[in-house]
Amino acid sequence: MHLENKDGRLTSGVLEMEIHQTSAPMSAGLGGPGLVGLNTSNHRPQQGDSKADSLNPYPSGAAGQSCWAPVDQDFGSFFAEWRSRCVPIYHPEFITAEESWENSSAEWEGGSLLSRELVGSSGSASSEKGELLDSAHIRFRLSKLRCCVRWLKVTGLFVFVVLCSILFSLYPDQGKFWQLLAVSPLESYSVNLSSHADSMLLQVDLAGALVASGPSHLGREEHVVVEVTQANAPGSRWWRPQQVTHNWTVFLNPSRSERMVLSKTFEVLSREPVSISVRASLQQTQVVPLLMAHQYLRTSIEAQVTIAAVILAGVYVLIIFEIVHRTLAAMLGSLAALAALAVIGDRPSLTHVVEWIDFETLALLFGMMILVAIFSETGFFDYCAVKAYQLSRGRVWAMIIMLCLIVAVLSAFLDNVTTALLFTPVTIRLCEVLNLDPRQVLIAEVIFTNIGGAATAIGDPPNVIIVSNEELRKMGLDFAGFTAHMFAGICFVLLFSFPLLRLLYWNKKLYNKEPSEIVELKHEIHVWRLTAQRISPASREETAVRGLLLGKVLALERLLARRLHSFHRQISQEDKNWETNIQELQRKHRISDKILLAKCLTVLGFVIVMFFLNSFVPGVHLDIGWIAILGAIWLLILADIHDFEIILHRVEWATLLFFAALFVLMEALAHLHLIEYVGEQTALIIKMVPEDQRLAAAIILVVWVSAIASSLIDNIPFTATMIPVLLNLSRDPEVSLPVPPLMYALALGACLGGNGTLIGASANVVCSGIAEQHGYGFSFMEFFRLGFPMMVVSCMVGMCYLLVAHVVIGWN
């Protein structure tokens, strides 16, 4: 505070204040975020400066003082408070003779005029303030609701996990006590078991040189008969208890080379003792060694199937609504299934659970991920993207059809998982070059990967399981015949699938609505943020690096905001200047390391050749998992990789964990008799159909049951379970159905049904995982909207083909 007169001396008691009233701060204070600021400062007017004196009639009470009002505060009350605090008070002792009261009244008139202007502006801003308050309240309520939903989700899942853990820990792993038996036509084995009070089922396991299916010629095969006898009710003085006997016939493997474990469940009728008798029917008098184990279960089969269905539905709810990540959803489902097995009395050991995991599939995925990670360092994917753009001549749909046809053909000869691993990075880079949405193209591509994989005996795991079955080989279902039937059907499916794909994408925007530089900038921001989140602040250096990365993200977000603000154009539906852009793209996207590319192509070519040799040459004793692992080791040595952690960071560990949890979940559901129940009900429905329509009904039923089941559960255990069910159904004298049409229906339904959902096929999960790593992940519902109609139409076409070929023409 200073006092001065007209000569510049400190004699006046007037507190001077300059109100900086500009349009920007006032508009920001009334309608925008932040605070309303009235800035004060020391203003020293020059001598005789009447204009400055009239414009600034309010001296300040303190130098540099500022008065602020929040947006939520009423502007009128704020102004009244501001006047009481900031408007000068003229005390009589500060008024000198040189200053006239006329000048003071003029200053007060100017101040009152300014006050009326400010109060008037408050009335015009009241409606805007009300809207801001309403929107702020709505946002607050929504944020509070989201917090409550998130808290409920975390609490509910935590309580569920704790409950499953307690149930799993309460029941011990009793294990199976195997007894060594030696049965022959002259000697049998018998044992009496005491029943348990809470037991409802008796499970008997046999291990030895057995086969899962029935005989190829009735009455000629060697077999073992297991008889389970129990009294129906306790006897009385006049009535003896009624004996109930169940027979289980197990056929022996003629070669005696392979060992198999088979299980059968029998209902416990009462608390009376149970008798088990094992006898053999052999062509020669010889001894057959077997292992037998038994255990009591506390729950009926119907209850177990219900529990399994509820667990599977819960897993799908978690995945569909994206409540948790699909990997965590599969792990929760596995834990719930294991807890259910423990409650019913069939808790598996840790070693047994680990044996449920298909390590061959995991080895294939891991090895091919290493190969693709090193392959991407050469720039080969960018080069392929530019070449595909050049061949399509700037036409998007020609390029998409070309990609889908290529992956369908390759999937017929390679495993569809391998095809997805190789083509997903190429497709993503191609879409980035053409400014397309990679999600839509990837979904279409993986759908045709599953369709093409059904064409041959080596394209999809269900086909491999069917062709490798010894009983089916004896019936004449060889590699050539299976491929001929399936290839013809898949050709018809492809003819209908391409027009349907164009119809489904009719109203979809394949191009990004924003320019390519904005799309790339958004993707770059996502990658930088994801990289910063992956750094754990365990040390000061890592914390500093994470801070630098987050600063980079903020800088890019500011740049993105400026570019979005200046963006006022829509990209054209086709690139008319593709010829001129080709040269620029070819200069920008070249092969970066030709030597490494030559090494990668050599190793990859060797791996693909070994995949073929594994299917055709019996002398190659390497599974596809071993081939992929060996190829990855070879390329790691040839590429001379020093920073191994960079390669490991590109491995989709979440995808590998998802498959491991999914294998455990499917095996646990199989132990809960879900898959067996589906097969048995299918066989019962087929038996109810009249004999003249039985083959057509069986084909229709097997196709659709297989398709729906494969879209919900893994098609590998379902196919392995359905093969013996269909074999026994075909050998039933009351049914007498040919086996090949049923197997073709099973193969078509299991392979094409994988397009129904995101987790229906392994290629879907692999493609989604790689796309998510690149920042283009697609949800369950995004895949379902396109995949399920494609599954329905393709299964319909395949069913019509089988009906015409095997019912009308009789090509059996």
Side-chain angles (χ1 to χ4, degrees):
M1 181 177 66
H2 58 273
L3 303 174
E4 62 181 4
N5 58 9
K6 292 181 180 180
D7 297 331
R9 293 174 296 182
L10 300 174
T11 58
S12 175
V14 180
L15 307 179
E16 296 184 357
M17 179 187 72
E18 177 183 2
I19 301 177
H20 300 283
Q21 183 178 2
T22 59
S23 59
M26 183 62 66
S27 62
L30 294 176
L35 301 173
V36 178
L38 300 176
N39 300 328
T40 63
S41 62
N42 293 336
H43 181 67
R44 303 178 62 87
Q46 301 294 329
Q47 185 177 0
D49 193 356
S50 60
K51 183 178 180 180
D53 195 56
S54 63
L55 289 176
N56 300 281
Y58 306 107
S60 176
Q65 181 180 357
S66 299
C67 298
W68 297 92
V71 173
D72 295 337
Q73 184 178 350
D74 185 77
F75 194 85
S77 61
F78 157 71
F79 185 73
E81 181 181 359
W82 173 80
R83 284 191 61 183
S84 64
R85 293 172 55 188
C86 301
V87 173
I89 301 174
Y90 287 83
H91 199 273
E93 64 181 0
F94 293 118
I95 300 175
T96 59
E98 289 92 356
E99 294 176 320
S100 63
W101 285 100
E102 288 83 8
N103 293 335
S104 299
S105 61
E107 292 176 356
W108 275 105
E109 289 177 359
S112 61
L113 179 62
L114 179 60
S115 66
R116 285 194 299 270
E117 292 177 357
L118 292 175
V119 173
S121 64
S122 67
S124 62
S126 60
S127 60
E128 297 181 2
K129 178 182 70 63
E131 294 178 358
L132 285 174
L133 289 175
D134 292 339
S135 61
H137 288 309
I138 293 175
R139 287 195 300 268
F140 175 74
R141 291 177 180 177
L142 289 177
S143 63
K144 190 175 181 180
L145 180 62
R146 282 193 295 266
C147 291
C148 293
V149 171
R150 183 178 180 183
W151 182 83
L152 289 176
K153 180 194 76 171
V154 174
T155 304
L157 291 178
F158 182 75
V159 171
F160 172 77
V161 170
V162 171
L163 180 61
C164 291
S165 302
I166 293 174
L167 291 177
F168 187 74
S169 62
L170 288 179
Y171 299 93
D173 177 19
Q174 298 178 356
K176 294 182 179 180
F177 299 97
W178 294 93
Q179 296 178 347
L180 179 61
L181 312 180
V183 295
S184 67
L186 301 178
E187 297 180 1
S188 62
Y189 174 81
S190 299
V191 62
N192 293 324
L193 306 177
S194 59
S195 180
H196 294 183
D198 57 346
S199 300
M200 301 185 65
L201 297 175
L202 173 64
Q203 179 177 327
V204 179
D205 301 322
L206 278 183
L210 310 174
V211 291
S213 58
S216 57
H217 303 284
L218 291 176
R220 299 182 181 180
E221 299 292 336
E222 299 178 335
H223 60 275
V224 174
V225 178
V226 179
E227 293 183 356
V228 178
T229 306
Q230 187 186 22
N232 192 10
S236 62
R237 182 180 302 177
W238 296 280
W239 299 97
R240 298 183 59 186
Q242 183 181 359
Q243 299 290 330
V244 178
T245 302
H246 300 278
N247 292 330
W248 177 30
T249 302
V250 182
F251 295 90
L252 300 176
N253 191 348
S255 61
R256 304 288 197 272
S257 58
E258 297 182 0
R259 180 179 177 273
M260 181 175 292
V261 179
L262 300 179
S263 299
K264 182 71 174 180
T265 304
F266 304 94
E267 185 179 359
V268 177
L269 303 176
S270 64
R271 297 183 181 180
E272 295 296 316
V274 179
S275 175
I276 300 178
S277 176
V278 182
R279 54 185 176 85
S281 176
L282 307 175
Q283 296 178 358
Q284 299 178 359
T285 306
Q286 56 183 353
V287 177
V288 177
L290 295 174
L291 291 175
M292 188 185 73
H294 67 276
Q295 61 180 351
Y296 285 99
L297 304 180
R298 304 183 184 92
T299 311
S300 63
I301 294 180
E302 291 77 9
Q304 295 183 35
V305 172
T306 304
I307 293 173
V310 170
I311 292 174
L312 186 62
V315 172
Y316 268 87
V317 167
L318 294 178
I319 296 177
I320 291 174
F321 296 100
E322 298 182 355
I323 300 176
V324 294
H325 194 271
R326 60 175 178 268
T327 303
L328 183 56
M331 295 172 67
L332 293 176
S334 302
L335 177 60
L338 292 176
L341 288 176
V343 171
I344 67 174
D346 191 17
R347 172 182 166 174
S349 62
L350 180 59
T351 305
H352 199 187
V353 173
V354 172
E355 291 176 354
W356 290 351
I357 301 175
D358 188 359
F359 285 100
E360 182 178 352
T361 302
L362 297 183
L364 170 66
L365 293 173
F366 178 75
M368 295 305 298
M369 286 176 182
I370 295 292
L371 290 175
V372 172
I374 301 177
F375 217 149
S376 61
E377 297 291 335
T378 63
F380 179 75
F381 296 148
D382 297 349
Y383 177 79
C384 291
V386 174
K387 284 299 181 183
Y389 180 44
Q390 185 177 5
L391 292 176
S392 64
R393 301 177 63 85
R395 293 173 293 181
V396 176
W397 270 106
M399 182 201 67
I400 293 178
I401 292 176
M402 185 188 310
L403 285 175
C404 293
L405 187 60
I406 291 174
V407 297
V409 172
L410 285 181
S411 296
F413 300 99
L414 287 177
D415 185 76
N416 52 6
V417 174
T418 304
T419 306
L421 283 168
L422 292 176
F423 267 82
T424 300
V426 178
T427 305
I428 291 175
R429 194 67 195 112
L430 174 62
C431 293
E432 290 176 347
V433 170
L434 299 184
N435 195 28
L436 296 174
D437 187 4
R439 289 178 286 268
Q440 309 297 333
V441 183
L442 287 175
I443 292 175
E445 194 173 276
V446 76
I447 288 174
F448 280 87
T449 299
N450 295 324
I451 294 176
T456 62
I458 60 175
D460 217 5
N463 297 356
V464 177
I465 295 174
I466 293 174
V467 175
S468 60
N469 188 274
E470 293 185 0
E471 294 295 324
L472 295 176
R473 287 183 180 180
K474 293 179 181 179
M475 296 179 180
L477 192 65
D478 56 355
F479 182 90
F482 184 87
T483 302
H485 281 76
M486 296 295 294
F487 183 79
I490 293 302
C491 288
F492 286 107
V493 172
L494 288 175
L495 290 178
F496 284 88
S497 297
F498 281 112
L500 177 62
L501 180 68
R502 185 67 182 92
L503 182 63
L504 292 175
Y505 278 68
W506 189 265
N507 294 323
K508 288 189 177 294
K509 299 294 183 180
L510 296 180
Y511 276 99
N512 287 309
K513 296 181 181 180
E514 298 157 340
S516 58
E517 58 269 13
I518 293 182
V519 175
E520 292 179 359
L521 186 57
K522 286 184 176 181
H523 180 60
E524 185 179 356
I525 292 174
H526 175 77
V527 172
W528 280 111
R529 183 181 289 110
L530 188 63
T531 304
Q533 292 174 354
R534 289 179 177 176
I535 297 178
S536 59
S539 62
R540 184 175 59 186
E541 292 77 9
E542 291 175 342
T543 304
V545 171
R546 185 175 184 179
L548 291 175
L549 293 178
L550 293 177
K552 176 72 173 179
V553 170
L554 292 177
L556 291 177
E557 287 178 345
R558 288 193 293 267
L559 178 61
L560 177 63
R562 290 196 298 268
R563 291 189 179 181
L564 287 176
H565 183 70
S566 60
F567 170 66
H568 295 291
R569 66 183 179 85
Q570 180 73 22
I571 191 169
S572 59
Q573 289 297 315
E574 286 192 7
D575 192 357
K576 305 297 182 180
N577 301 323
W578 67 272
E579 293 180 346
T580 58
N581 293 337
I582 281 291
Q583 297 179 357
E584 180 181 356
L585 291 174
Q586 287 178 345
R587 289 193 302 267
K588 185 178 180 181
H589 304 286
R590 295 180 177 179
I591 302 296
S592 58
D593 195 338
K594 295 183 178 180
I595 298 178
L596 182 59
L597 176 62
K599 297 177 181 179
C600 292
L601 290 177
T602 302
V603 174
L604 184 61
F606 168 78
V607 170
I608 294 176
V609 170
M610 291 301 296
F611 283 164
F612 281 104
L613 294 180
N614 176 66
S615 303
F616 296 103
V617 180
V620 179
H621 302 289
L622 288 176
D623 296 328
I624 57 177
W626 276 115
I627 295 173
I629 292 294
L630 293 177
I633 295 175
W634 287 16
L635 189 55
L636 286 172
I637 298 299
L638 292 176
D640 194 16
I641 300 296
H642 295 285
D643 197 350
F644 192 67
E645 293 184 357
I646 295 180
I647 302 299
L648 291 181
H649 278 304
R650 298 186 181 181
V651 174
E652 286 293 326
W653 296 108
T655 302
L656 297 178
L657 287 175
F658 173 76
F659 275 109
L662 188 64
F663 289 142
V664 174
L665 174 62
M666 291 300 113
E667 286 294 331
L669 296 182
H671 279 68
L672 290 172
H673 304 282
L674 176 63
I675 303 176
E676 180 183 354
Y677 180 80
V678 173
E680 291 178 354
Q681 295 302 314
T682 304
L684 290 177
I685 295 176
I686 293 175
K687 289 181 179 180
M688 296 170 57
V689 180
E691 186 176 357
D692 56 342
Q693 303 174 0
R694 190 166 293 166
L695 180 59
I699 290 175
I700 295 174
L701 195 60
V702 171
V703 166
W704 288 107
V705 170
S706 302
I708 296 175
S710 297
S711 64
L712 298 177
I713 60 178
D714 191 12
N715 53 13
I716 295 177
F718 178 79
T719 305
T721 305
M722 285 296 294
I723 288 177
V725 172
L726 296 179
L727 282 175
N728 294 330
L729 181 65
S730 64
R731 289 163 180 164
D732 192 344
E734 299 178 358
V735 180
S736 65
L737 290 176
V739 176
L742 300 180
M743 294 303 158
Y744 299 142
L746 176 62
L748 279 175
C751 296
L752 300 179
N755 289 327
T757 61
L758 180 61
I759 63 175
S762 303
N764 305 351
V765 181
V766 171
C767 180
S768 175
I770 298 176
E772 185 177 358
Q773 189 183 34
H774 286 78
Y776 300 106
F778 45 87
S779 64
F780 184 95
M781 294 305 299
E782 288 177 342
F783 186 90
F784 182 80
R785 294 189 190 100
L786 297 173
F788 190 78
M790 291 290 293
M791 182 206 77
V792 172
V793 173
S794 60
C795 289
M796 186 74 69
V797 174
M799 180 193 68
C800 295
Y801 159 75
L802 291 177
L803 290 176
V804 172
H806 297 283
V807 177
V808 179
I809 300 178
W811 185 20
N812 297 328

